[in-house]
Amino acid sequence: MSLHDLSASEIARRVKAKEVTAREVAVSFLERAKRLDKSLKAFLSFSDDAALRQAEAVDLFVSAGKDPGPLAGVPIAVKDNMCVTGTRTTCASKILENFTANYDATVIAQLRSAGAVFLGKTNLDEFAMGSSTENSAFFTTRNPWDLSRIPGGSSGGSAVAVAARLAPLALGSDTGGSIRQPAALCGVVGLKPTYGRVSRFGLVAFASSLDQIGPFATNVSDAALLLQSIAGHDPKDSTSANIPVPNYSAALGRGVKGLRIGLPKEYFIEGMDPQVEKSVRQAVATLESLGAIVSEVSLPHTDAGLSVYYVIAPSEASANLARFDGVRYGHRSPRAENLLQQYEFSRDEGFGPEVKRRIMLGTYALSSGYYDAYYLKAQKVRTLIKRDFDRAFESVDVIATPTAPTAAFKAGEKSDDPLQMYLSDVFTISCNLAGLPGISLPCGFTSGSAKKLCLRPPTLSRKRPHGGECPRPRRAFDPAGKGGFGGRGGDGTRRSLVDQGQEFAGPSGVDFSERPFGERGNDGDGRAPRSGRRNGVAVQNFGTPFGCGIPVDARRKTRAENGALVSDGSGGPYRGMGPGRSIG
Amino acid sequence: MSLTEKDVTYVARLARLALTEAERFKYLGQLERILDHIKILSKYDTQNIPATTHVIPLSNVWREDVAVPFLDTPSILANAPDREEVYFKVKKVIE
């Protein structure tokens, strides 16, 4: 089994056990990433030298008998809007094209001390504004399942890096769905933590009341591992929550029996891809069959979410991006003859169309005479949206919705119509507006693309509004949980996939065998899938049709099968997901 | 609330963006459409609803006023588009 098939936790275990060196791991991932990135274009830059130095430092620790940390030697791809000392941090913008970070973002410093190795910086929509990576000033990243399609955005590069196993883990940022939507479209796990849970120091600000950094992983247990390393209070970010961080990994692996899942009727709308709806409903049915209690809930202000977001986010962006003036860093126009021109020309030349559009929109909404009608109004409706969730969480523990209304769309399909593109975020933005955590989990494929189910744990319990990702261990739900996507070592199922010639475990890469139901006795229903999971049968239900190896590599082989595919939902993934709980 | 080209020019100046004629025209149309969509907000009665500026209850965050070293001057100046000695260099502000 090759290294890139391993889960992050398994890589760390092997590095610590001296079964493989961190250097070997880094070399292997760098080689693979560079080879496949020619067609995927997930990375804006690689940091080979720094990565190898980090890896060697980890190896030194190990050989000295010291513990290099929970992510010992684990390669991580970082969205290029976070500062990593000595690497370019461009935000996929020309205005920062030549900016080299001279300090570490807090998350980066935390990951360094956890033993992680940074492979490089991943592509995004410029300043994280977009849903497809088409707004990158440099190039568009390709969906590994179908290169003619976009990977989603804005953290598209990070999603692709993980989906194509160019890195076992990646960091993204989520302002309106920028982790969850690309995770959905690429078939990986993507988690947006509770607002305030992860420090944003060193993250280039987009919309300060919404931004949050979070993990991409191939399974939830790896996502928990990564979140554990980056969560916590940071005095350098005055919005970070000073609340103890629970042990996410320990909270995984509990059953769903008795878990109350709410399905908001407003999220199953006309215009939604019927295949997406079918898969999501199938997944929920599977959870129900495992003992979860499903009921309908209502989030009546759902239809206002998009409008609230597209007032608040651009308004905050217009203020945050005022700092790009061509004085201390970033692009400076050579045409300018005075200081005002230096500002105006530098910004006009440096920002791309979507960024300018949002700066214009935000400036307008904040301008004298319009502030009350737009910004203040949006903030008030935001309160109504938040109250919707508070009310819903009185009767349910989590809310399950589709992550996006459609699967991955073709490059160019929506890029001429900003409003259509904005609609890709319609199901994800309310989490940001309400400050809630949200996780996107694979639940099948449409013909050719992955789609997802998004579960929103109510980490904001009434008593502890922002108490963390699992304030009530018994209730907080990690939909994917340990038994679900990945399980502990996470390599069990993958091995079986590889055995079947499927070296890519991405969307189907769930580890059913590693941690069968029952350890907690929550599957007292004794459903047949149990043994199926163990022997990989459940995986085949949805994994085989794709037959996908590394998506890129396998494409030619599997294309013909793609049409037939479609996961059909079969609920496969969800059988595994059941027992999970709580990274929320 | 229909936008005019004058509005767009005014907002572009506030935002310090030197838009071309073509850009102004393009944004006029696009912003109108987006603002039209946003109109949906007016259907909600928010008369007695407080504004949410932040989802976590934040008041001032206090700390001791202790100086800590951050970065050395050369590493900060390394990203400057133009500099002289240890200063950022810009166009003359006052004639």
Side-chain angles (χ1 to χ4, degrees), chain B residues 51-95:
Chain B
T52 295
T53 53
H54 251 71
V55 287
I56 45 180
L58 272 180
S59 52
N60 282 340
V61 177
W62 301 101
R63 62 170 168 77
E64 291 303 310
D65 188 15
V66 182
V68 266
F70 182 51
L71 288 168
D72 55 305
T73 314
S75 86
I76 293 170
L77 285 167
N79 278 311
D82 197 6
R83 60 179 185 266
E84 195 171 302
E85 295 172 19
V86 293
Y87 304 103
F88 298 111
K89 197 172 171 184
V90 293
K91 297 282 176 198
K92 200 197 289 185
V93 183
I94 303 164
E95 293 300 329

Side-chain angles (χ1 to χ4, degrees), chain A residues 176-240:
Chain A
S178 281
I179 290 174
R180 291 159 290 152
Q181 186 256 16
L185 270 42
C186 291
V188 295
V189 174
L191 169 67
K192 173 216 164 294
T194 306
Y195 183 81
R197 180 46 94 192
V198 176
S199 167
R200 298 161 325 158
F201 177 77
L203 168 74
V204 179
F206 162 11
S208 304
S209 77
L210 306 166
D211 296 340
Q212 190 61 194
I213 294 172
F216 284 96
T218 55
N219 61 74
V220 288
S221 120
D222 279 357
L225 188 66
L226 180 48
L227 178 61
Q228 197 77 55
S229 297
I230 60 174
H233 180 244
D234 176 14
K236 289 177 182 164
D237 175 358
S238 59
T239 61
S240 89

